[in-house]
């Protein structure tokens, strides 16, 4: 049986007990197609996550973005067929299986879990049974989740995308929970280019600052792109999670910083934090020049932030 929450060792202040890492489909596939999956990219990211599992055992849950396979499975669904979304289960299980195989190749135990069998709509919203997730974490096994379809109150199926899946894990027994979405941009962009700078913080109770910045969703994207991510993560943050959007880099030396307190993240990792807790000093926005021609990233007061204190447990993402 999994260890009761009250008996689990405490975690250092500012660290999550449970880290949910989502690797977005854009990092491992061309979402403009219906069936592309980059096996080399999957293996590279799997090796980084496997290192997290070995270094911080029993504290990581993985969520795979559906990518091309997931988007391809839900285009043009028959609205009259209450079970039309069933094909998403097959598509995303293929994605989960590719990741699971890569994790095993990287030397860790991983188990793909089917959200359809764990979660269903209730009057209060989607409700999940986390018994197996907690047991896997207690045994040091990596749970592998993805988007799926879930049973509705009227007996049909609806799409439950991968951006919404981490919300299943915002549970007292796993708290504090940090959700990190790795994607192809460094956060919510405030400029016109894909490299930044980014919005450092979003209040989940008023995400209008983020809504004003998100780019128009491409016609082939079925998940509402960044707008969908913002809305899903804001909902998770309102329930107590600490949520982060940042760029994924398969060539990173380490992802250990994902467990570090936010004020100890490396200066070369721009990100957007969505949390009810406003940072004392807003995170660095970008190492690139600002739109007004400034020399680099600045804090909330316009001054350059001080380097974060070093912690031997955490290594830089690019060291």
């Amino acid at each position: 049986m999994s260890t009761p929450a009250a008996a689990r060792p405490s975690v250092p202040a500012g660290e999550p007990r449970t880290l949910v890492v989502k690797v977005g489909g854009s990092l491992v596939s061309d979402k403009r197609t219906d069936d592309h999956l980059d096996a080399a990219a999957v293996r590279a990211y799997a090796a980084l996550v496997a290192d997290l599992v070995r270094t911080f055992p029993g504290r990581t849950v993985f969520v795979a973005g559906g990518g091309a396979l997931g988007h391809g499975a839900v285009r043009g669904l028959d609205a009259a067929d209450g079970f039309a979304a069933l094909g998403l289960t097959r598509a995303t299980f293929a994605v989960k299986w590719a990741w699971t195989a890569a994790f095993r190749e990287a030397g860790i135990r991983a188990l793909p879990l089917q959200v359809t069998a764990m979660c269903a709509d209730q009057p209060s919203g989607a409700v999940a049974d986390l018994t197996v997730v907690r047991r896997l974490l207690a045994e040091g096994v990596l749970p592998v989740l993805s988007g799926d379809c879930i049973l509705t109150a009227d007996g049909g199926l609806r799409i439950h995308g991968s951006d919404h899946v981490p919300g299943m894990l915002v549970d007292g027994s796993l708290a504090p929970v940090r959700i990190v979405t790795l994607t192809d941009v460094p956060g919510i962009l405030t400029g016109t280019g894909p490299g930044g700078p980014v919005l450092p913080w979003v209040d989940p109770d008023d995400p209008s600052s983020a809504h004003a910045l998100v780019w128009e969703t491409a016609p082939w994207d079925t998940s509402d792109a960044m707008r969908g991510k913002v809305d899903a993560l804001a909902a998770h943050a309102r329930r107590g999670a600490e949520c982060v959007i940042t760029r994924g880099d398969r060539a990173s030396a380490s992802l250990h910083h994902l467990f570090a307190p936010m004020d100890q993240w490396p200066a070369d990792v721009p990100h957007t934090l969505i949390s009810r807790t406003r940072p004392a000093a807003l995170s660095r926005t970008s190492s690139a020049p600002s739109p007004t021609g400034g020399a680099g990233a600045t804090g909330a007061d316009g001054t350059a932030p001080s380097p974060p204190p070093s912690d031997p447990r955490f290594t830089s993402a690019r060291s």
Side-chain angles (χ1 to χ4, degrees):
M1 298 292 292
S2 60
T3 306
R8 291 176 182 160
S10 61
V11 296
E15 291 185 24
R17 176 184 300 282
T18 305
L19 174 69
V20 183
V21 180
K22 184 206 165 187
V23 173
S26 59
L27 294 175
V28 296
S29 71
D30 184 345
K31 294 195 291 187
R32 293 170 298 181
T33 72
D34 288 349
D35 58 2
H36 175 257
L37 188 64
D38 185 336
V42 169
R43 286 194 298 270
Y45 283 109
L48 289 168
V49 175
D51 177 56
L52 279 182
V53 175
R54 282 189 290 267
T55 307
F56 304 93
R59 296 172 62 186
T60 303
V61 178
F62 181 77
V63 177
L69 277 73
H71 285 265
V74 297
R75 291 192 185 105
L77 296 183
D78 181 0
D81 180 358
F83 256 57
L86 183 60
L88 182 61
T89 292
R90 177 180 179 179
T92 55
F93 202 91
V95 173
K96 288 195 295 283
W97 189 253
W99 281 102
T100 301
F103 288 130
R104 289 183 58 82
E105 183 180 323
I108 63 167
R109 294 184 298 164
L111 187 69
L113 301 178
Q114 187 179 355
V115 169
T116 301
M118 299 168 57
C119 187
D121 273 342
Q122 301 291 344
S124 59
V127 177
D129 184 340
L130 298 181
T131 302
V132 172
V133 171
R134 289 192 292 265
R135 174 66 187 272
L136 291 176
L137 292 174
E139 297 292 342
V141 180
L142 176 66
V144 179
L145 305 172
S146 69
D148 210 333
C149 53
I150 64 174
L151 192 66
T152 64
D154 62 2
L157 295 175
R158 72 167 177 84
I159 298 167
H160 195 62
S162 57
D163 289 322
H164 297 275
V165 168
M168 297 169 46
L169 304 157
V170 185
D171 178 82
S173 64
L174 301 178
V177 175
R178 177 180 292 165
I179 300 166
V180 177
T181 294
L182 300 180
T183 186
D184 58 356
V185 290
I188 298 171
L189 298 167
T190 61
T192 58
V198 302
L199 187 67
W201 176 70
V202 175
D203 179 354
D205 294 306
D206 181 16
S208 57
S209 60
H211 289 162
L213 293 169
V214 294
W215 296 359
E216 183 179 354
T217 301
W220 42 262
D221 193 313
T222 63
S223 63
D224 206 13
M226 186 59 76
R227 174 65 181 250
K229 285 179 176 55
V230 168
D231 289 344
L233 293 175
H236 307 333
R238 288 193 292 271
R239 295 177 52 219
E242 188 177 54
C243 302
V244 184
I245 303 171
T246 190
R247 189 195 301 277
D249 180 0
R250 63 198 250 184
S252 293
S254 166
L255 292 179
H256 290 186
H257 66 286
L258 299 187
F259 270 103
M262 294 304 304
D263 61 3
Q264 294 182 25
W265 275 37
D268 61 350
V269 182
H271 55 275
T272 296
L273 172 66
I274 304 176
S275 171
R276 274 184 163 160
T277 302
R278 182 187 180 96
L282 290 181
S283 307
R284 296 154 298 278
T285 58
S286 175
S287 57
S290 68
T292 56
T298 59
D301 59 358
T303 61
S306 301
S310 61
D311 188 325
R313 293 173 303 151
F314 301 109
T315 58
S316 170
R318 301 179 187 277
S319 61

